[in-house]
Amino acid sequence: MSGYKDGDKPSCCARDGFATPLEAMKNGEPEKVIYIPAVQMEKGTKPDYLATVDVDPKSPTYSQVIHRLHMAEPGDELHHLGWNACSSCRGQTGRPTHSFIVAPGVLSGNIHIIDVKSDPKAPKLHKTIPGPEILSKVGAALPHTTHCAPDELIMSFMGSGTAKDGFKPEGAGFVSFDPRTFEIKRRWEAGPKAPTFGYDFWYQLRHDVMISSEWGDPDCFTKGFNPGHVSEGKYGNKLYVWNFKDHTLKQEIDLGAGAIPLEVRFLHNPEKPVAFTGCALSSEMIQITPKSDGQWAAKCVIKVDPIPVTGWALPHMPGLITDFLISMDDRFLYLSNWLHGDVRQYDLSGEEPKLVGQFFVGGSMKRGGPVKRTDGEEQPEALVVKGVEIQGGAQMVQLSLDGKRLYVSTSLFSSWDKQFYPDMATRGAQMIQLDVDTEKGGLTLNPDFLVDFGQEPDGPVLCHEMRLPGGDCTSDIFL
């Protein structure tokens, strides 16, 4: 299943991206800082900010927030981060690689362009594209994922409307931005077909394909999770297969009612037309591959079984796969179960994924809480790092280029955090780091690393997706 063999040779310099994923893995410098959004649980008073975290073990400020770039106004809900240019755009005049972070505010619709090149340890705001301008020009709101492409930035949107007047799913799709000026160009999609809902996407240029996913009706998910909305069709169950060159929707793949497919990733090897998506509610990893007739097929390759419980909203608790990534050599897949609380490592080198590592990071199943398993199996102890009990469960994951350090944050979305992990309101979210056995597989805690966002100067905040300065496993696409 893995995409690479030994013997691939690198050929580029890190300052302008990498020619191949294996070059990034072999020649990429160890990360010195990580960028992560710090999100306010309560909206309307304090703005979100981009936190710069020192991850250099030799630094006196190791595992500390060393800079905070506050947005101009409250209410953003910073979530996912993208780049002005990644390895797919290397060498372009006027478009320096990994120089500007693109930070959309899901609830405000604002798109913040942040300069991390001038001073990587002290980012500064370069430009903000107001949400109302985007809504007015292209009818889109609730921005989510940004990917750079050879001649544009592509951003997914999950609907339209405003936080004040209400959101709706109409308008979900994609918008094209100029990669140098960051001006709005146009709607990306062409043709009469449009997705029902929006969320994530990934493209593979060699195979002229883009695959996107869907979360659900933003009028529902922005307020928290109501299980009744699933049976009402308010949450997504489809993948969308696009012709990348002409921007047309050519296939919809139904993954079953209540699947909620979220993140989408292809193998990094651009020759391999193999993609995966993580379905949150059904807690399945789905592999997507092309068929001989030009259509794409989906099959479940990993299933996280629900756990029978008492003391929870439902009699069975799903794992809730909310994020995953693939190592640069396409050997390992890592996924997070936000409710069960664990991170899992799977070896992709065989015919089927093989579980080779697992580590529990908080979660609703931890011992001593209100939830009790009814199947007789053990529940994990609460995770305590440097005297701090971790809040929430394993959520976003990010891997160092060499595959040896896995970073984990614990916040999903402020309204969901408040519902499922209410203690985050006063104790914040956390970021930890796991050491990875890249030979046999295995995950162990780095006891010296903890970023406690519950102890921020202006009060507890949440933390979500992480970005490495020179590119990483969830941002860089190779052509």
Side-chain angles (χ1 to χ4, degrees), residues 50-86:
L50 183 74
T52 303
V53 176
D54 186 338
V55 295
D56 180 1
K58 298 179 181 179
S59 170
T61 53
Y62 177 60
S63 85
Q64 297 178 30
V65 177
I66 58 173
H67 187 267
R68 298 167 183 87
L69 176 65
H70 289 82
M71 302 301 104
E73 59 187 31
D76 273 322
E77 186 82 27
L78 297 181
H79 197 61
H80 280 213
L81 307 175
W83 289 111
N84 69 304
C86 68

Side-chain angles (χ1 to χ4, degrees), residues 333-335 342-346 355-360 399 403-406 408 434-437 441-446:
L333 181 150
Y334 301 84
L335 66 81
D342 59 318
V343 178
R344 298 188 180 193
Q345 178 190 23
Y346 289 86
L355 181 63
V356 293
Q358 185 177 27
F359 188 88
F360 278 88
L399 187 67
K404 296 180 180 179
R405 294 169 299 284
L406 185 72
V408 185
L434 304 178
D435 292 322
V436 179
D437 184 333
L443 301 170
T444 56
L445 177 71
N446 175 357

Side-chain angles (χ1 to χ4, degrees), residues 4 29 31 39 42-43 57 74 105 193-194 235 239 299-300 311 315 318 382 406 468:
Y4 279 107
E29 296 180 356
E31 64 280 4
V39 182
E42 301 299 332
K43 314 302 177 187
K193 297 181 180 179
Y235 280 92
L239 293 175
K299 71 171 183 177
C300 177
L406 185 72
L468 306 184

Side-chain angles (χ1 to χ4, degrees), residues 361-362 366 381-392 410 426-432 445 447 449-455:
V361 183
K366 62 185 178 185
E381 294 284 353
L383 178 63
V384 177
V385 184
K386 299 178 74 171
V388 176
E389 182 176 333
I390 303 303
Q391 303 300 305
T410 61
T426 57
R427 302 177 71 174
Q430 288 77 36
M431 173 182 167
I432 67 167
L445 177 71
F449 187 92
L450 170 73
V451 184
D452 183 8
F453 284 91
Q455 296 298 317

Side-chain angles (χ1 to χ4, degrees), residues 292-307:
S292 59
D293 62 359
Q295 296 289 92
W296 288 68
K299 71 171 183 177
C300 177
V301 293
I302 297 170
K303 172 69 175 177
V304 177
D305 292 327
I307 295 175

